[in-house]
Amino acid sequence: MATVTTQASAAVFHPSATRSRFLRGSAGRLNGEVSVRQALPVNRAFKVEAKKGEWLPGAVSPVYLDGTLAGDNGFDPLALAEDPENLKWFVQAELVNGRWAMLGVAGMLLPEVLTSAGLINVPKWYDAGKAEYFASSSTLFVIEFILFHYVEIRRWQDIKKPGSVNQDPIFKSYSLPPNEVGYPGGIFNPLNFAPTLEAKEKEIANGRLAMLAFLGFVVQHNVTGKGPFDNLLQHLSDPWHNTIIQTLKG
């Protein structure tokens, strides 16, 4: 619920308190006499409230999206989340994908900026797969697939039965405190941020923005063959001629 409160001072303009006199003076010269007085400041307080749960002004939100979830603006035109079990999964899927997108966008943009500034020397994100690592690309893919498969299974188990995977299965001395699904705390929250509704709203908003940014980076590279920072520098060098219009014209 967004609330805005403001106070205004009104300046009132009106004719003279006496009486406007016309046709005064010699030769019937038309004279208008108007005085302007500023009234005392008038305090008027008003409140503007934006109802949560309306992604489009005037649109009716589905009954299963009642505004209690973080980032819930009533947007589900295909009714994908009508099933409560699907809704629980979609909430966690968006949260995790948003977090990965924020890490991915930072990992794509920052190395490009630092390399362009001469501080480091690493390949651009679209050439990272061509670099030589301690293992071949296929080996790294298999390792990542196994690790992510294991993590995703445990995350799914936590969604189905919250708290069931808090205990580390290998290192028994490590466990996570009981928390809300998707916000495990402990080692995953080193700064001890409280999972308030405001913090959740900010995280999901930034996650959604990062997912769009990631898509934009990929499309931009496919069109221009460059990364976002190189495209920005190119645009700034000649803002009137290096724009999306010229790019689409080819």
Side-chain angles (χ1 to χ4, degrees):
M1 188 77 71
T3 303
V4 179
T5 304
T6 184
Q7 292 183 341
S9 297
V12 180
F13 299 91
H14 56 80
S16 173
T18 58
R19 182 178 297 175
S20 297
R21 294 183 295 274
F22 299 94
L23 302 177
R24 291 188 55 197
S26 61
R29 186 175 55 190
L30 178 64
N31 292 329
E33 181 179 320
V34 178
S35 67
V36 179
R37 295 189 307 172
Q38 182 173 355
L40 294 176
V42 179
N43 292 330
R44 293 194 182 100
F46 63 92
K47 183 167 63 175
V48 178
E49 295 183 350
K51 182 180 178 182
K52 185 181 176 182
E54 292 185 354
W55 67 275
L56 183 66
V60 179
S61 302
V63 293
Y64 51 86
L65 296 179
D66 56 4
T68 57
L69 295 173
D72 175 14
N73 295 309
F75 181 77
D76 189 19
L78 301 179
L80 299 176
E82 191 172 7
D83 184 352
E85 291 299 317
N86 288 341
L87 178 58
K88 288 196 300 183
W89 172 257
F90 288 144
V91 167
Q92 296 303 317
E94 183 183 35
L95 181 62
V96 170
N97 279 280
R99 289 169 176 171
W100 279 116
M102 287 187 281
L103 288 173
V105 166
M108 296 163 73
L109 186 59
L110 291 180
E112 185 177 344
V113 173
L114 297 178
T115 299
S116 299
L119 299 178
I120 60 176
N121 183 22
V122 296
K124 301 295 178 63
W125 58 271
Y126 46 84
D127 289 329
K130 301 176 184 178
E132 294 293 332
Y133 299 99
F134 63 90
S136 64
S137 298
S138 58
T139 302
L140 292 175
F141 173 78
V142 172
I143 293 175
E144 290 182 10
F145 180 82
I146 294 174
L147 293 177
F148 271 87
H149 187 67
Y150 171 75
V151 171
E152 285 299 301
I153 287 179
R154 289 182 63 82
R155 191 168 68 86
W156 177 76
Q157 291 174 338
D158 191 47
I159 295 174
K160 300 295 288 185
K161 187 178 179 182
S164 61
V165 295
N166 284 355
Q167 181 67 47
D168 193 300
I170 300 176
F171 303 98
K172 301 297 183 180
S173 59
Y174 295 98
S175 63
L176 292 174
N179 278 304
E180 183 182 353
V181 176
Y183 304 91
I187 192 174
F188 296 103
N189 188 15
L191 299 180
N192 199 28
F193 288 129
T196 61
L197 180 59
E198 181 183 5
K200 294 177 182 178
E201 293 273 2
K202 291 179 178 179
E203 182 184 34
I204 200 66
N206 282 282
R208 290 169 177 171
L209 182 61
M211 287 187 280
L212 290 175
F214 178 84
L215 178 62
F217 287 0
V218 173
V219 173
Q220 194 172 10
H221 169 67
N222 288 335
V223 174
T224 66
K226 299 180 180 179
F229 188 65
D230 288 338
N231 284 138
L232 176 63
L233 294 179
Q234 183 181 5
H235 169 69
L236 294 177
S237 66
D238 191 358
W240 293 105
H241 298 95
N242 294 328
T243 66
I244 188 174
I245 297 176
Q246 283 73 23
T247 299
L248 294 178
K249 285 182 178 180

